[in-house]
Amino acid sequence: MDGNGRWAKKRGLPRQAGHKVGAETFRTIATYCKDIGVKYFTVYAFSTENWKRPPEEVGALMELFRRYLKEAAETMYERGVAVRVLGDLSPLPQDILDLIRETDRIADSLGPDAATASLCINYGGRDEIKNAVRALAKEVESGEKRAADITEDDIAHHLYTAHMPDPDLIIRPSGEIRTSNFLLWQSAYAEYYFTPVLWPDFKTSDMDAAIEAFNQRNRRFGGV
Ligand code: IPE
Ligand code: MG
């Protein structure tokens, strides 16, 4: 969800104002994805590196997560979208952890066929792989598993996305052309779509354009 800060700056507003509008965009696009049959919609909301931002900005983002999760807990049944949070949640404030426990409970009760909107919070692709390696190393240490028996599936099952398929399409808004530590393992065969549109300006028509571009791609997964 990149470009919130630049969107605000262009208008002479504080960065936080951009994040607020960006959160609205998330609501709109998550609902749109469900309506058009995209089963998994995952956004990068806060990276393991974003703690470096000024405390006011980090605080404002936490407040937005808090508000969003509260609202999600109240509306998830009626909207039929299961909200999930992915990432290393250990440093998050306790009240946010409680909200995540609640949204998880409701998401579980919606069942496996519900459309899922995931928010990556304190997420880093490298951090995620490191945690998977540690967990597998522990299994080897305890004699539960042999190093030579570790498979790609074993690694995938130790990632935050264990319950999800790999992404087909990754959209990066705001004109940046890099992956910035997002779903490193999972993106092996993802199609990338880069657009200059700043996230707060991202509309359902931009989603349509990305899917249209995706539909033109010829995916061979290493074959011919
Ligand atoms: C939102 O955009 C991404 C978050 C970390 C919430 P940015 O805050 O990165 O906006 P720019 O890149 O400064 O425009
Ligand atoms: Mg940015």
Side-chain angles (χ1 to χ4, degrees):
M1 299 194 284
D2 205 10
N4 294 348
R6 279 163 283 169
W7 183 94
K9 195 173 173 204
K10 267 183 23 189
R11 287 163 178 77
L13 297 169
R15 294 178 56 82
Q16 282 85 311
H19 295 315
K20 211 170 153 198
V21 178
E24 287 304 324
T25 304
F26 172 70
R27 283 183 184 86
T28 306
I29 302 297
T31 307
Y32 185 62
C33 282
K34 185 217 159 208
D35 291 343
I36 62 174
V38 171
K39 190 165 172 199
Y40 294 95
F41 173 64
T42 303
V43 298
Y44 204 174
F46 193 90
S47 78
T48 45
E49 287 70 40
N50 285 151
W51 299 104
K52 288 188 283 207
R53 293 188 177 196
E56 316 80 70
E57 184 170 348
V58 172
L61 286 166
M62 293 300 149
E63 186 53 30
L64 279 175
F65 298 146
R66 199 172 269 126
R67 251 187 264 164
Y68 181 79
L69 289 165
K70 267 188 204 147
E71 178 197 293
E74 286 159 12
T75 59
M76 232 191 276
Y77 276 122
E78 138 208 347
R79 291 197 186 169
V81 180
V83 172
R84 299 279 184 184
V85 180
L86 313 179
D88 171 10
L89 307 182
S90 56
L92 297 180
Q94 187 57 47
D95 67 314
I96 293 188
L97 293 176
D98 293 341
L99 285 166
I100 294 172
R101 190 144 28 93
E102 178 64 3
T103 49
D104 267 342
R105 192 185 60 76
I106 302 172
D108 287 343
S109 72
L110 285 174
D113 294 329
T116 300
S118 305
L119 278 166
C120 295
I121 301 180
N122 193 32
Y123 174 88
R126 287 185 171 182
D127 185 63
E128 177 184 42
I129 292 169
K130 177 205 72 190
N131 290 335
V133 169
R134 280 191 182 160
L136 285 163
K138 226 171 159 180
E139 290 172 27
V140 172
E141 234 169 37
S142 71
E144 204 181 313
K145 204 174 194 75
R146 284 167 22 149
D149 292 338
I150 294 174
T151 63
E152 292 189 5
D153 275 347
D154 288 331
I155 297 173
H157 284 123
H158 283 83
L159 304 176
Y160 302 123
T161 51
H163 54 291
M164 291 163 49
D166 286 342
D168 290 308
L169 169 64
I170 297 183
I171 301 170
R172 174 129 196 195
S174 91
E176 309 289 5
I177 307 182
R178 55 175 173 265
T179 66
S180 300
N181 209 9
F182 187 54
L183 302 179
L184 293 183
W185 175 274
Q186 300 87 334
S187 63
Y189 284 99
E191 295 292 333
Y192 278 94
Y193 180 81
F194 297 97
T195 171
V197 175
L198 302 175
W199 178 250
D201 289 329
F202 196 92
K203 302 283 182 291
T204 57
S205 57
D206 295 303
M207 194 69 196
D208 290 339
I211 293 173
E212 188 53 43
F214 172 83
N215 285 334
Q216 304 302 318
R217 308 271 176 96
N218 177 11
R219 305 182 82 194
R220 292 184 297 280
F221 298 96
V224 287

